[in-house]
Amino acid sequence: QDADVWIELFEEKFLPLTDIQKEFIYKKFVKQLLANHFFEPDENSLNNFTTHYSDELKTLYPILFDKYDSLWQAFIQKTSESTYEYFRIESLLLCFYLVPKKIFFPRIKIFIRSDLTFLYTKHIEFRVSTRFCDQYFIEFTTDIHQADIILSTTSLNELDDYVTNFKNLVPIILINSKISENDFSKIEEALIQLTSTLLEETKVTHS
């Protein structure tokens, strides 16, 4: 019955599950109940690990974690929290396993204004996408008006029209043609800020 509750909440928060996925979840619940019955965990060690790991995942994957936290709070209200306290991290990992990254990664569109050749520009796209592929779903657009971030290999003085038109609503980042670690840091800062804004907008929409 508790597995049914978890599945219902997962499908409400994320997406429908297949019969094979549901069977996998049922098996996880059975293993959890058996483990609780036969083994007495070290509560201090487990709680420290759970808290630390949760904080780390919350920082790395804020959108998925926000949805998961909503799922978990609803789950423990409908079941026995003490029975499943040690299932909390496993439950979160189940979400990572079951949810396609396009759903829980922040979706960011990037426009590159480049004075480089086509291949060099594509190489910049490759480096940016691979650098952040484990936390963001990045798309490159040819339409500057769709961009969440603008990267430019040319002087920002040449972007005066863009800056004026966008009224600083879209981050415009000057990058080196060979894209340095400093460039990556500036891009990451913009990505973090965009994700924070997206989370706030999502909470307002759902409230």
Side-chain angles (χ1 to χ4, degrees), residues 59-83:
T59 300
L60 291 172
Y61 310 102
I63 290 181
L64 181 139
F65 195 94
D66 186 64
K67 286 188 175 184
Y68 166 74
D69 192 53
S70 176
L71 179 157
W72 184 254
Q73 295 305 319
F75 176 73
I76 60 178
Q77 287 177 5
K78 295 183 178 183
T79 60
S80 172
E81 178 179 0
S82 59
T83 301

Side-chain angles (χ1 to χ4, degrees), residues 25-115:
I25 293 168
Y26 282 120
K27 289 179 179 178
K28 287 294 179 185
F29 270 82
V30 170
K31 289 180 179 179
Q32 176 65 27
L33 290 173
L34 289 174
N36 283 345
H37 181 74
F38 289 109
F39 303 103
E40 185 174 346
D42 182 339
E43 293 189 16
N44 289 331
S45 297
L46 193 53
N47 286 337
N48 287 337
F49 171 79
T50 299
T51 301
H52 175 75
Y53 196 48
S54 293
D55 289 344
E56 183 179 337
L57 293 176
K58 182 177 182 179
T59 300
L60 291 172
Y61 310 102
I63 290 181
L64 181 139
F65 195 94
D66 186 64
K67 286 188 175 184
Y68 166 74
D69 192 53
S70 176
L71 179 157
W72 184 254
Q73 295 305 319
F75 176 73
I76 60 178
Q77 287 177 5
K78 295 183 178 183
T79 60
S80 172
E81 178 179 0
S82 59
T83 301
Y84 287 104
E85 177 59 25
Y86 306 115
F87 183 63
R88 186 150 57 100
I89 284 295
E90 184 107 350
S91 177
L92 175 57
L93 296 179
L94 261 177
C95 291
F96 275 100
Y97 175 71
L98 295 167
V99 180
K101 72 174 186 177
K102 290 184 179 180
I103 293 179
F104 68 81
F105 278 11
R107 191 185 189 98
I108 307 293
K109 290 187 176 182
I110 296 179
F111 176 86
I112 298 181
R113 188 175 188 273
S114 173
D115 57 351

Side-chain angles (χ1 to χ4, degrees), residues 6-7 32 40 48 62 84 91-92 123 129 140 178 198 204:
W6 195 95
I7 289 170
Q32 176 65 27
E40 185 174 346
N48 287 337
Y84 287 104
S91 177
L92 175 57
H123 181 65
S129 61
F140 293 94
K178 294 183 180 179
L198 180 60
V204 170

Side-chain angles (χ1 to χ4, degrees), residues 118-145:
F118 173 81
L119 290 179
Y120 267 105
T121 302
K122 286 297 178 184
H123 181 65
I124 290 176
E125 290 184 6
F126 172 79
R127 292 200 62 194
V128 171
S129 61
T130 53
R131 178 61 173 257
F132 301 107
C133 65
D134 62 340
Q135 290 180 249
Y136 301 92
F137 180 54
I138 292 177
E139 291 181 298
F140 293 94
T141 178
T142 57
D143 184 353
I144 194 170
H145 297 284

Side-chain angles (χ1 to χ4, degrees), residues 138-171:
I138 292 177
E139 291 181 298
F140 293 94
T141 178
T142 57
D143 184 353
I144 194 170
H145 297 284
Q146 292 184 357
D148 300 303
I149 297 175
I150 298 171
L151 304 181
S152 177
T153 61
T154 62
S155 170
L156 292 181
N157 292 333
E158 300 177 28
L159 286 172
D160 285 344
D161 291 339
Y162 293 121
V163 174
T164 302
N165 291 335
F166 286 97
K167 297 179 181 178
N168 296 321
L169 294 177
V170 178

